[in-house]
Amino acid sequence: MPRSTPRRSVVAAVAGALVTSAMVVPAAAAASPASAAPASAVTQSVRTAAGGGGVRWVKWNKAPMTKTPSSKSRTVARPDDGTRLRVLDRGTHRLQVRTPAGKVGWVSKKAVTATKLKDVSGTRYTKGKVTLTKDIGSRSTKVTKARLGTKVTVLARTTGRDTNRVKVRVPGGRTGWISTSRITKRNVWGQLARCESGGNPRTNTGNGFYGMYQFTGRTWHAVGGKGLPHRHGKSEQTKRAQILQDRAGWGQWPHCTRKLGLR
């Protein structure tokens, strides 16, 4: 008996070690597959992390966001100019983005910019002759021109360090960017019309002067007008007045323009 006791102890110790090993090793091996994500999920995660991140601002009016990267897929949202978008993923020509309202979709890279913008609205008037550009930069492609005092609708403006550009829509629907220094709240044509005729486009005093800006028939025809001024609407009369001012200056309305401080 005394000789067999050490043998049983050794056997028990060895068995215990085997049991312990069996408990630890398979458990660790089983945990590894359970905790590992599928290879495709890891690849997708890495791709998204590498491709996403950052923000962009919409520079097109109601830029279409599509459900898939294809520009022909269903439109899920149309964010306005100046809307801030969070970039989630990137393709060759399009970005996957999320709007402030939580909508997710794909938008053309051409429709957004890294320049900080603000979605704004309101009416302003051009201070002088201005040229609208297609993109934010003043050296980009020219879109159209507008004469002094043209009524414009403001759509977006730059913010942050660069606060000197604004996107506007002119009569006729064309949109483009101009300097913020070129617009004002002052409606010079409205003021001039009120001074000349009380702002009444139908004015006919019987002394040979007609309409809001008191054109003579001869002058009206010289700037491309048809018939007589008071038989046309406000926009047509203002358009002809702008042409006249562009050609001959404010001196065509000597009293009122001096009163209004326009010369």
Side-chain angles (χ1 to χ4, degrees):
M1 291 294 293
R3 287 195 299 268
S4 64
T5 301
R7 187 165 180 258
R8 285 198 302 271
S9 299
V10 171
V11 172
V14 171
L18 291 174
V19 170
T20 303
S21 174
M23 292 175 63
V24 174
V25 175
S32 179
S35 61
S40 60
V42 172
T43 302
Q44 176 65 27
S45 176
V46 170
R47 185 174 73 87
T48 302
V55 294
R56 293 293 186 273
W57 285 264
V58 179
K59 63 179 181 179
W60 286 1
N61 184 36
K62 297 188 179 302
M65 281 173 51
T66 55
K67 186 175 182 179
T68 72
S70 171
S71 60
K72 296 181 180 180
S73 68
R74 182 171 62 88
T75 298
V76 296
R78 291 182 178 276
D80 286 333
D81 315 71
T83 302
R84 185 176 186 271
L85 304 174
R86 171 64 64 179
V87 178
L88 304 178
D89 200 356
R90 301 169 192 269
T92 304
H93 302 293
R94 299 175 72 78
L95 299 174
Q96 186 184 43
V97 296
R98 182 172 59 241
T99 69
K103 287 280 189 179
V104 174
W106 293 81
V107 67
S108 169
K109 290 181 178 180
K110 294 181 179 180
V112 297
T113 177
T115 302
K116 294 182 179 180
L117 302 180
K118 184 177 182 181
D119 184 13
V120 294
S121 61
T123 298
R124 295 292 186 273
Y125 302 87
T126 55
K127 287 185 178 180
K129 290 187 292 184
V130 298
T131 299
L132 280 65
T133 59
K134 184 177 181 179
D135 215 333
I136 297 172
S138 60
R139 296 183 180 180
S140 68
T141 305
K142 307 298 186 291
V143 175
T144 188
K145 293 183 178 181
R147 290 187 170 87
L148 182 152
T150 299
K151 183 179 180 180
V152 299
T153 301
V154 180
L155 303 173
R157 67 175 175 82
T158 53
T159 64
R161 293 181 180 180
D162 180 16
T163 58
N164 65 347
R165 302 290 287 174
V166 62
K167 186 177 183 181
V168 299
R169 182 170 56 242
V170 298
R174 303 292 294 274
T175 63
W177 293 84
I178 60 174
S179 169
T180 53
S181 65
R182 306 298 290 165
I183 57 174
T184 177
K185 291 182 178 180
R186 185 183 186 187
N187 179 6
V188 292
W189 294 109
Q191 292 176 345
L192 181 60
R194 284 192 293 273
C195 179
E196 289 285 338
S197 64
N200 182 5
R202 302 303 179 193
T203 298
N204 179 5
T205 59
N207 61 357
F209 294 89
Y210 306 92
M212 297 165 63
Y213 304 105
Q214 291 294 277
F215 274 98
T216 63
R218 182 178 179 180
T219 304
W220 175 257
H221 296 148
V223 292
K226 305 297 182 182
L228 290 173
H230 67 295
R231 300 196 183 281
H232 296 269
K234 292 181 178 180
S235 60
E236 176 66 11
Q237 291 187 40
T238 299
K239 176 182 177 180
R240 301 302 165 188
Q242 287 177 320
I243 295 173
L244 178 60
Q245 193 279 333
D246 192 26
R247 292 180 181 177
W250 288 120
Q252 298 298 305
W253 302 273
H255 170 71
C256 284
T257 54
R258 190 178 295 112
K259 180 180 177 181
L260 295 170
L262 297 173
R263 65 188 186 96

